[in-house]
């Protein structure tokens, strides 16, 4: 489990393999000694397994394998050397749950179709992003509810049909990849876990009736 609070921005160093399986090596600021082989790391949303870890200057280099389904259903298939990704290590018992419960299981890919500056002040500008949710996912997204976009826990500001908006404060823009995001960019979307189960329960009650 994760919280959607990004703890580092890593850089993809290399990609090898094909559409069936790819291995990606990623540079991060994490201490290699604190990452166990087989550990789960959220990489811009998808939960991926560390299959190797090596110490490196300023942190570590770890490798993950992405299978065909992950490559086809998330943005991982488009990553290449130089791609910057939001990272979060898995939650430990006793850690502060500052975002919301995130599984690292991506529901689909959303696309940004508008970005606008909302406020600009001494601490920088806040930006509103409007996105289109993929088919079959929009009904899980509610105003004031939570979503995870590229591994970042965010609150939904507004919903209209299959579109929704989120507001990014200057700090989040600075410490994640959101400051680089532009219209047309595609992001990994995970809907709120509680919303997913609530919808499933409602479907079950409707069928029973």
């Amino acid at each position: 489990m994760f919280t959607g609070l990004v703890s580092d921005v890593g850089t993809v160093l290399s990609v090898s393999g094909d559409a069936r399986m790819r291995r990606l090596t990623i540079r991060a600021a994490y201490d290699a000694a604190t990452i166990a082989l087989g550990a789960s790391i959220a990489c811009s949303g998808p939960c991926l397994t560390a299959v190797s870890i090596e110490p490196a200057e300023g942190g570590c280099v770890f490798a993950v394998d992405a299978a065909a389904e992950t490559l086809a259903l998330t943005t991982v298939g488009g990553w290449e050397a130089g791609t910057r990704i939001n990272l979060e290590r898995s939650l430990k018992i006793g850690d502060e749950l500052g975002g919301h419960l995130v599984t690292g299981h991506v529901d689909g890919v959303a696309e940004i179709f508008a970005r606008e500056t909302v406020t600009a002040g001494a601490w920088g500008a806040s930006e509103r992003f409007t996105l289109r949710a993929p088919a079959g996912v929009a009904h899980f997204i509610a105003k004031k509810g939570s979503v995870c976009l590229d591994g970042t826990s965010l609150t939904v500001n507004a919903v209209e049909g299959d579109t929704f908006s989120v507001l990014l404060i200057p700090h989040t823009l600075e410490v994640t990849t959101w400051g680089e995001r532009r219209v047309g960019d595609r992001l990994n979307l995970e809907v709120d876990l509680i919303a997913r189960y609530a919808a499933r329960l409602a479907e079950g009650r409707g069928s029973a009736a």
Side-chain angles (χ1 to χ4, degrees):
M1 297 295 286
F2 306 91
T3 66
L5 299 183
V6 174
S7 55
D8 188 28
V9 175
T11 302
V12 176
L13 298 181
S14 65
V15 180
S16 58
D18 53 31
R20 295 169 297 178
M21 178 76 73
R22 288 184 190 168
R23 175 159 295 189
L24 303 95
T25 59
I26 300 165
R27 179 182 292 278
Y30 300 137
D31 180 355
T34 66
I35 303 176
L37 190 66
S40 295
I41 300 176
C43 299
S44 277
C47 171
L48 300 175
T49 300
V51 295
S52 71
I53 310 101
E54 297 179 0
E57 184 177 355
C60 71
V61 172
F62 67 93
V64 296
D65 289 341
E69 183 173 4
T70 300
L71 296 172
L73 301 180
T74 73
T75 65
V76 177
W79 294 356
E80 56 189 17
T83 298
R84 284 165 36 89
I85 56 176
N86 296 319
L87 300 175
E88 182 188 356
R89 298 179 62 179
S90 57
L91 192 63
K92 295 182 178 66
I93 299 297
D95 284 353
E96 179 180 352
L97 185 61
H100 72 282
L101 289 175
V102 175
T103 64
H105 300 159
V106 173
D107 292 295
V109 176
E111 182 176 339
I112 299 171
F113 72 86
R115 173 178 176 169
E116 59 180 323
T117 300
V118 178
T119 59
W123 300 281
S126 294
E127 302 278 335
R128 177 179 289 114
F129 291 80
T130 305
L131 305 97
R132 179 167 286 109
V137 175
H139 67 286
F140 291 114
I141 301 173
K143 184 177 180 179
K144 303 302 180 184
S146 297
V147 290
C148 186
L149 289 164
D150 264 11
T152 311
S153 173
L154 296 168
T155 300
V156 177
N157 292 142
V159 177
E160 184 175 348
D162 64 350
T163 67
F164 66 99
S165 64
V166 293
L167 183 68
L168 279 292
I169 63 173
H171 174 76
T172 306
L173 292 168
E174 182 180 351
V175 301
T176 70
T177 61
W178 276 94
E180 307 164 15
R181 297 281 71 87
R182 299 291 181 266
V183 172
D185 285 354
R186 301 167 73 244
L187 293 85
N188 296 311
L189 167 66
E190 180 184 334
V191 299
D192 181 57
L193 187 64
I194 297 173
R196 184 188 295 125
Y197 281 111
R200 184 61 174 167
L201 285 170
E203 289 174 5
R205 288 173 181 170
S207 299

